Amino acid sequence: MSVSWSDLLRSRMEESYHMAEGLLPLVDDSSLGWKPSDGDNWMTVGQLLRHIADACGKSCRGFVSGDWGLPEGFAPEDLPAEEMIPPAEALPAVASVAEAAELLATDREIAFALLAQAQGRLDEPTRAPWDPREKPLGMRMLEMVEHLDTHKNQLFYYLKLQGKPVNTLHMYGMA
């Protein structure tokens, strides 16, 4: 049995968004300013929720359409490294869990629309602004799903560190 890029991406997107959406109700608005106390460069919960809501669809937009959300006349390669991957304190945050849920739903819609738009092109080579190596468009989109997964897992561990009663079933959207 052969699986196409399209089938793989659709399945992974459905799972990843479902899992992220399942964690949001476990977050309290009062904890949006919380971040781990040890170490440097940690996002607050509010910043992490915002990042989760931008992690997949909006990033896929850059690969599929070339629109990286930059001002007119700017290209990703024009950005200094600190703007390409800014420190946590420079990242935007959501004002509420409800806002995060709305943004994540929008990002989900964007991701699936871009997947439909990319049909027939998923084997085409493309580059990321942060990685000059060529990879198939389907692989780049899968990397953005993995980006969502990484930060969804980060949220899971933030919840654990806050003493929330979460377990592995929560991480995989089965609780």
Side-chain angles (χ1 to χ4, degrees), residues 3 16 34 41 82-83 86 89 92-93 103-104 115 143 160 167 171 173:
V3 176
S16 296
W34 184 92
N41 205 32
E82 62 274 4
E83 287 184 41
E89 61 269 4
L103 291 171
L104 186 61
L115 178 57
E143 289 172 346
K160 283 193 80 72
N167 60 52
M171 190 177 340

Side-chain angles (χ1 to χ4, degrees), residues 69-142:
L70 297 173
E72 186 72 32
F74 279 89
E77 54 272 9
D78 296 335
L79 294 175
E82 62 274 4
E83 287 184 41
M84 179 70 71
I85 303 175
E89 61 269 4
L91 296 174
V94 295
S96 68
V97 176
E99 178 187 359
E102 289 175 24
L103 291 171
L104 186 61
T106 299
D107 196 68
R108 173 195 267 268
E109 290 174 15
I110 291 168
F112 281 98
L114 289 165
L115 178 57
Q117 183 180 340
Q119 293 305 306
R121 298 180 36 219
L122 294 170
D123 284 322
E124 290 180 7
T126 189
R127 289 187 172 96
W130 56 88
D131 180 4
R133 297 172 297 171
E134 283 191 346
K135 293 182 183 180
L137 175 58
M139 179 62 75
R140 292 296 186 185
M141 292 180 76
L142 182 59

